[in-house]
Amino acid sequence: MMEMQEGRKGIPSLLSSQGECIASNITQLIGWTPLIEMKNIAKKDGINARLIGKIEPYQPLSSVKDRSALRLIEDAEEKSLISPGITTLVAVTSGNLGIGVAFVAVQKGYKFIAVMPAKIAIDKQILLRYLGVEVILVDPAINGFKGLLDRVEQLKNEIENVYVIDQFTNPANPDAHFRWTGPEIWKDTEGKVDIFVAASGSGGTLTGTGRYLKMKNPSVKLICVEPAESAVISGGEPAYHKIQGIGPGFVPEILDKSQIDEIVTVTDQEAMDMARRLAREEGLLVGISSGANAAACLKVAAREENKGKMIVTMFSSGGERYLNSELFAQVKEECVNMNMAF
């Protein structure tokens, strides 16, 4: 097997092999995703910076969390903390990490239980059940995030050989991005990236990617995006918001705040409006947090000092995962009404 080039895990390593070009299993496809320039939006808004998005819907199960899931599980295996057929994996997730863990667990032979807030991400609950995952819902109105952690503690007492995949505290999460995401961005921009913009959910993408990019060039600026309605990293109070997958209402242990140069807040409305613009002006079908990232990019790009700069952000997941969310509410209603005529 040829040595894998840095920033070329996943499909490129498959293409560069001699002979057959067939993945031995789906986890081999986790890795490299393409960068795309948002030229239409930049032109329309009179932006003189380069706006670049990394299309994580290209991951096997369509989100950046596929990377974290693989690294979190591999790390536990390397440390002999888990064994297929014996260990039950448990994770708190708003959906995308759970979906990533689900397909890796299927491939490796682990049972997996996902603990999720109720009423928030029905599309993701459906996908998890479809993948054979046991889904346990907790009312987010009772004790918030702590309620989810309490349910995990209960499971640890009820089931033997439980291993908790904790994306908020486990350094293997940012390590996935230090190993893979960062090198991909550095290589694909030829080291021209000036500013990296990413929303913080678990803090893994921001911390790991940021650490790698600053190692390569200390003058790269790192901008953290968080929901205006729940701007906890900025020192605000936790509150309900609609940008799934980011702003958990506390500052995650793995988030390295010392690297962050600036925090930009984005409202629910700004995030959804931008996600819709990405679909209608760039043909990019991405989720709500991708909209938040792009909205933050525009705010940063509009500044005089950032003229001509290359600003890179993450399109963290595909839009189809949000069909039953507010993102699609208007078009969903239109389609339902159109069909009533028949």
Side-chain angles (χ1 to χ4, degrees), residues 225 243 266-267 270-276 278 286-297 314-317 327:
V225 182
I243 310 174
V266 174
T267 66
E270 287 173 323
M272 295 206 201
D273 287 347
M274 183 53 72
R276 294 177 190 123
L278 287 166
V286 293
I288 307 167
S289 70
S290 303
N293 280 340
C297 278
M314 303 295 287
F315 293 143
S316 307
S317 56
L327 184 61

Side-chain angles (χ1 to χ4, degrees), residues 218-287:
S219 66
V220 169
K221 276 209 157 56
L222 194 59
I223 294 183
C224 171
V225 182
E226 67 171 344
E229 287 83 356
S230 185
V232 176
I233 303 165
S234 308
E237 288 298 311
Y240 174 72
H241 66 90
K242 295 173 182 171
I243 310 174
Q244 291 181 26
I246 72 166
F250 61 94
V251 179
E253 198 178 298
I254 58 161
L255 178 68
D256 184 356
K257 285 172 73 178
S258 70
Q259 299 190 116
I260 297 171
D261 294 292
E262 188 189 344
I263 299 168
V264 173
T265 61
V266 174
T267 66
D268 292 349
Q269 195 60 52
E270 287 173 323
M272 295 206 201
D273 287 347
M274 183 53 72
R276 294 177 190 123
R277 278 193 72 186
L278 287 166
R280 293 178 181 193
E281 295 174 34
E282 298 285 359
L284 290 164
L285 190 59
V286 293

Side-chain angles (χ1 to χ4, degrees), residues 24-318:
S24 57
N25 70 66
I26 193 167
T27 64
Q28 205 183 331
L29 301 177
I30 299 170
W32 180 86
T33 56
L35 293 175
I36 189 162
E37 188 155 1
M38 293 167 265
K39 291 192 171 180
N40 294 344
I41 286 176
K43 188 177 176 186
K44 192 169 179 181
D45 289 26
I47 298 291
N48 292 315
R50 296 184 70 187
L51 304 175
I52 314 291
K54 190 158 176 60
I55 314 182
E56 290 297 298
Y58 268 63
Q59 297 297 352
L61 260 64
S62 312
S63 102
V64 66
K65 296 287 188 178
D66 293 2
R67 299 175 183 268
S68 309
L70 180 65
R71 188 69 207 118
L72 285 159
I73 291 173
E74 283 184 344
D75 178 69
E77 288 181 329
E78 287 159 15
K79 292 171 178 163
S80 303
L81 299 172
I82 57 176
S83 306
I86 296 167
T87 312
T88 297
L89 305 177
V90 172
V92 169
T93 174
S94 69
N96 285 332
L97 180 87
I99 290 163
V101 170
F103 82 88
V104 177
V106 163
Q107 189 57 49
K108 289 175 172 282
Y110 294 98
K111 186 181 183 224
F112 173 45
I113 301 172
V115 178
M116 294 180 72
K119 298 177 184 169
I120 287 174
I122 188 78
D123 298 277
K124 295 171 189 169
Q125 292 171 20
I126 292 166
L127 290 171
L128 284 163
R129 291 295 301 124
Y130 191 76
L131 286 161
V133 175
E134 183 182 335
V135 175
I136 294 175
L137 298 180
V138 176
D139 186 349
I142 302 168
N143 296 332
F145 191 79
K146 187 179 178 298
L148 295 163
L149 297 180
D150 290 345
R151 191 68 184 88
V152 168
E153 285 306 312
Q154 267 180 298
L155 289 170
K156 280 161 74 175
N157 294 329
E158 292 165 8
I159 306 167
E160 273 184 37
N161 300 312
V162 162
Y163 179 79
V164 179
I165 291 181
D166 189 344
Q167 59 175 329
F168 299 98
T169 64
N170 192 329
N173 176 4
D175 184 49
H177 303 286
F178 184 83
R179 287 176 180 229
W180 304 326
T181 318
E184 289 169 29
I185 291 171
W186 184 256
K187 190 175 178 72
D188 292 346
T189 62
E190 293 188 308
K192 292 176 193 160
V193 52
D194 295 300
I195 301 168
F196 179 64
V197 176
S200 178
S202 66
T205 305
L206 190 68
T207 298
T209 309
R211 191 174 289 157
Y212 183 87
L213 295 176
K214 280 183 181 276
M215 179 184 83
K216 298 300 274 188
N217 176 7
S219 66
V220 169
K221 276 209 157 56
L222 194 59
I223 294 183
C224 171
V225 182
E226 67 171 344
E229 287 83 356
S230 185
V232 176
I233 303 165
S234 308
E237 288 298 311
Y240 174 72
H241 66 90
K242 295 173 182 171
I243 310 174
Q244 291 181 26
I246 72 166
F250 61 94
V251 179
E253 198 178 298
I254 58 161
L255 178 68
D256 184 356
K257 285 172 73 178
S258 70
Q259 299 190 116
I260 297 171
D261 294 292
E262 188 189 344
I263 299 168
V264 173
T265 61
V266 174
T267 66
D268 292 349
Q269 195 60 52
E270 287 173 323
M272 295 206 201
D273 287 347
M274 183 53 72
R276 294 177 190 123
R277 278 193 72 186
L278 287 166
R280 293 178 181 193
E281 295 174 34
E282 298 285 359
L284 290 164
L285 190 59
V286 293
I288 307 167
S289 70
S290 303
N293 280 340
C297 278
L298 277 187
K299 292 182 184 191
V300 172
R303 297 176 195 159
E304 191 60 35
E305 75 260 22
N306 293 328
K307 258 190 179 168
K309 298 257 173 88
M310 183 187 284
I311 304 169
V312 178
T313 195
M314 303 295 287
F315 293 143
S316 307
S317 56

